[in-house]
Amino acid sequence: MRANARERRCRPLPSAALRGFTLVELMVTLAVVVVLLRICVPGFVSIQRNSELTSAANGLLASINAARTEAMKRNLRAAVVPADGGSWAGGWIVYVDIDGADGFSAAKDLVVSTQPALASYFSMSGNNTASGRSPYILFNGSGYPVTKDSAPTSLSVAITRNDLAGDPSREQTRRIVLSKTGRVRVCKPASSSDSDCSSASN
């Protein structure tokens, strides 16, 4: 009895139970994985970048609203300006113009918030006061957007994915539109010339 029990315990497993993957099976599996990656990865990248686009547009929207709120709360001018003074894509600063110099001074003005630079596959451009070598978005103490000469103004800033071209690029563009009344909104333009989304359905 004991000998028979030892024989059963020591009996080798069938060869089928020890069988692993063959080289052909492994190659087929790898080929399927490669095909799936080629299909899925671009989609994941696009989803990620679209999410970043939405986040950037909402971030600028929030910054403009913050500048307007601070201007009305303190009855002082408040502004949003590029962090480097010239390029929106390099990030921006929201500040209250404490010294009334119509320009940002880290030593004298009150910084409300800052926005880091966008990823390299985003470009930003604006019109009116939000364009040029030293763009800005400025509010007076009543919460109205103005030029540095106190003239009422409206403007828009576009954020676009520069890794796309043609219709896909337009589809992945968001425009932040600021009216003369101080109302700000985000929209998707119908064309590259649709500066205030008046031709778009949204």
Side-chain angles (χ1 to χ4, degrees):
M1 290 288 293
R2 291 181 180 177
N4 290 338
R6 281 197 299 270
E7 288 176 4
R8 285 195 297 271
R9 284 198 300 269
C10 298
R11 185 177 300 163
L13 293 172
S15 59
L18 299 175
R19 181 175 176 270
F21 289 108
T22 66
L23 181 59
V24 173
E25 290 171 333
L26 183 60
M27 294 298 290
V28 169
T29 302
L30 288 175
V32 171
V33 170
V34 169
V35 170
L36 290 176
L37 287 175
R38 287 176 65 89
I39 294 172
C40 297
V41 169
F44 288 142
V45 170
S46 181
I47 290 171
Q48 177 192 358
R49 293 187 178 183
N50 293 348
S51 176
E52 291 177 15
L53 173 64
T54 300
S55 178
N58 288 338
L60 182 55
L61 175 75
S63 294
I64 293 173
N65 279 327
R68 183 170 186 255
T69 298
E70 289 294 328
M72 292 188 293
K73 181 172 71 175
R74 300 174 185 276
N75 195 28
L76 292 171
R77 287 188 169 190
V80 186
V81 296
D84 63 2
S87 173
W88 289 111
W92 53 84
I93 298 170
V94 180
Y95 74 95
V96 178
D97 190 16
I98 299 295
D99 63 356
D102 284 332
F104 175 64
S105 170
K108 298 178 181 179
D109 293 324
L110 173 64
V111 175
V112 177
S113 65
T114 60
Q115 169 74 29
L118 302 185
S120 61
Y121 41 81
F122 289 117
S123 297
M124 295 182 65
S125 60
N127 62 16
N128 298 340
T129 65
S131 63
R133 298 180 62 181
S134 300
Y136 63 90
I137 301 170
L138 179 65
F139 292 94
N140 62 19
S142 298
Y144 293 108
V146 294
T147 67
K148 290 183 178 180
D149 296 326
S150 299
T153 189
S154 60
L155 57 90
S156 68
V157 178
I159 306 176
T160 305
R161 279 181 56 183
N162 56 37
D163 58 337
L164 300 172
D167 287 342
S169 177
R170 180 181 56 78
E171 285 292 323
Q172 300 307 323
T173 293
R174 295 296 179 270
R175 198 176 293 278
I176 298 86
V177 180
L178 177 62
S179 70
K180 288 184 178 181
T181 63
R183 177 176 179 264
V184 61
R185 61 192 173 92
V186 176
C187 60
K188 183 169 68 174
S191 67
S192 59
S193 61
D194 187 15
S195 62
D196 60 358
C197 297
S198 59
S199 300
S201 58
N202 56 339

